């Protein structure tokens, strides 16, 4: 009987055992195996549901003439009446202008300055001095806006304010300026105050990203004769591009939902037309006078626009830089 033998240099593929196919692990089996991780995340999931998703049910108030004494089934439904009143109110567009102006100024300053500050700290050579500067810079983050507003008001005061005293001593002005009584200064004051308070804190995440850059890249750049600025431009900034992109997308998502703490604390009756933002408008013209449905419509408008801006920013960033948060 003739036998077949494999030629030299060839292998009998049928004789090679194939690796067993990996079975897809079931969801519940994964839960059982990682039960402790799921149990650790359960409190956060419950907190997220209770404080972020459950309140969405309250959006139904925007389509009702809500009365606190009545049950849900007894409320009168008015459709889009509250939104029609909102878009017909001239005050709404004034408030929207203030919100967009302060948010855009805060976005530009609050985005560029922390990056520059983080790069500056990274370039410092003295460890003790570097840690001291970093600690001092982020301490204002923990100071209440009530205290910050008091400090800013005192510094900008017409009588004995540090800023006016410096400007007078340098002969830049001839008489003290009433910074807190003129609306044209308010947006700049809020932006500068927020920059002083949050720059150090916002720079921490950029510093963490910079520490993850391979040090050998800097050594190779120095061997090639690259100076500090060339290393920053070609290594440091590209190395933290993902972090910059993610934080930029999230900042754009909060473009009109900027809160009202800063504006509320620094405002007064003389600058109301420049200080009132959407959240403060919802509080004053909704909750304070009992127009709960109207206030809900304002808040709903803010949330929906924020979601749209977030999706647009994410889509544009995904197409241009291939970076995305979803």
């Amino acid at each position: 009987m003739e036998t077949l033998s494999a030629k030299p240099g060839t292998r009998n593929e049928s004789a090679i055992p194939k690796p067993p196919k990996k079975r897809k692990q079931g969801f519940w089996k994964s839960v059982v195996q990682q039960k402790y991780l799921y149990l650790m995340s359960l409190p956060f999931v419950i907190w997220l549901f209770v404080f972020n998703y459950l309140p969405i049910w309250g959006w139904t108030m925007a389509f009702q003439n809500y009365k606190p004494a009545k049950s849900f089934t007894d409320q009168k439904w008015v459709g889009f009446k509250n939104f029609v009143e909102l878009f017909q109110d001239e005050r709404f567009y004034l408030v929207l202008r203030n919100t967009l102006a302060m948010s855009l100024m805060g976005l530009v300053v609050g985005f560029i300055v922390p990056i520059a500050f983080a790069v500056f700290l990274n370039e410092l050579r003295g460890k003790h001095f570097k840690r001291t500067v970093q600690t001092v810079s982020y301490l204002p983050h923990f100071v209440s806006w009530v205290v910050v507003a008091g400090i800013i008001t005192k510094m900008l005061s017409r009588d004995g304010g540090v800023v006016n005293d410096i400007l007078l001593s340098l002969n830049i002005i001839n008489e003290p300026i009433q910074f807190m009584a003129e609306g044209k200064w308010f947006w700049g004051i809020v932006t500068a105050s927020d920059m002083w308070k949050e720059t150090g804190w916002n720079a921490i995440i950029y510093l963490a990203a910079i520490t993850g850059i391979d040090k050998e890249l800097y050594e190779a750049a120095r061997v090639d004769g690259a100076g500090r600025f060339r290393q920053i431009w070609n290594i440091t900034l590209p190395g933290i591009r993902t972090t910059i992109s993610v934080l930029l997308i999230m900042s754009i998502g909060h473009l009109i939902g900027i809160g009202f703490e800063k504006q509320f604390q620094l405002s007064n009756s003389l600058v109301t037309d420049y200080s009132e933002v959407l959240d403060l408008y919802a509080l004053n013209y909704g909750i304070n006078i009992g127009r709960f449905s109207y206030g809900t419509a304002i808040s709903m408008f803010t949330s929906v626009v924020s979601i749209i801006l977030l999706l647009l920013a994410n889509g544009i960033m995904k197409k241009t830089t291939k970076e995305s948060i979803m």
Side-chain angles (χ1 to χ4, degrees), residues 14-31:
S14 62
I16 300 176
K18 295 182 178 180
K21 294 183 178 180
K22 293 183 179 180
R23 295 182 178 180
K24 291 184 178 180
Q25 193 175 22
F27 172 73
W28 293 111
K29 188 175 181 180
S30 174
V31 171

Side-chain angles (χ1 to χ4, degrees), residues 38-241:
Y38 282 99
L39 287 174
M40 290 173 61
S41 62
L42 185 60
F44 173 74
V45 173
I46 295 174
W47 177 88
L48 187 68
F49 176 77
V50 171
F51 291 98
N52 291 80
Y53 289 96
L54 194 60
I56 294 178
W57 174 258
W59 280 6
T60 56
M61 293 169 55
F63 306 97
Q64 301 171 341
N65 184 16
Y66 181 77
K67 302 296 181 183
K70 296 181 179 180
S71 63
F72 179 79
T73 56
D74 295 331
Q75 300 294 336
K76 180 181 178 181
W77 293 87
V78 295
F80 292 94
K81 178 183 177 182
N82 292 308
F83 293 95
V84 172
E85 292 182 2
L86 176 64
F87 295 132
Q88 289 179 346
D89 187 4
E90 295 181 359
R91 187 74 184 177
F92 166 73
Y93 296 99
L94 179 66
V95 170
L96 184 61
R97 179 205 67 177
N98 298 337
T99 304
L100 291 175
M102 280 184 275
S103 60
L104 287 173
M105 292 172 65
L107 177 64
V108 173
V109 175
F111 180 69
I112 296 176
V113 174
I115 296 175
F117 185 68
V119 172
F120 164 75
L121 286 179
N122 184 64
E123 293 298 317
L124 292 178
R125 293 292 179 257
K127 291 185 178 180
H128 296 290
F129 179 70
K130 178 178 178 180
R131 291 175 181 175
T132 302
V133 173
Q134 184 178 356
T135 302
V136 173
S137 66
Y138 73 68
L139 283 179
H141 170 78
F142 300 99
V143 180
S144 170
W145 268 110
V146 178
V147 178
V148 173
I151 296 173
I152 298 299
T153 302
K154 183 62 178 177
M155 290 179 62
L156 299 177
S157 175
R158 182 183 174 90
D159 300 325
V162 176
V163 175
N164 273 312
D165 289 345
I166 293 175
L167 294 177
L168 288 171
S169 63
L170 295 176
N171 294 322
I172 297 176
I173 58 175
N174 296 322
E175 59 181 11
I177 301 175
Q178 294 182 346
F179 289 102
M180 303 303 296
E182 297 184 19
K184 64 180 181 180
W185 296 105
F186 188 82
W187 296 347
I189 292 172
V190 170
T191 304
S193 302
D194 193 48
M195 181 186 70
W196 170 77
K197 189 175 185 296
E198 303 295 342
T199 293
W201 180 259
N202 293 335
I204 292 177
I205 191 168
Y206 295 113
L207 284 170
I210 291 174
T211 57
I213 300 175
D214 190 356
K215 302 301 181 184
E216 293 182 358
L217 296 175
Y218 293 99
E219 295 177 2
R222 283 192 289 269
V223 171
D224 292 339
R228 280 195 176 187
F229 290 103
R230 184 64 64 180
Q231 293 176 37
I232 293 172
W233 185 256
N234 293 318
I235 299 176
T236 305
L237 293 180
I240 62 175
R241 185 183 66 179

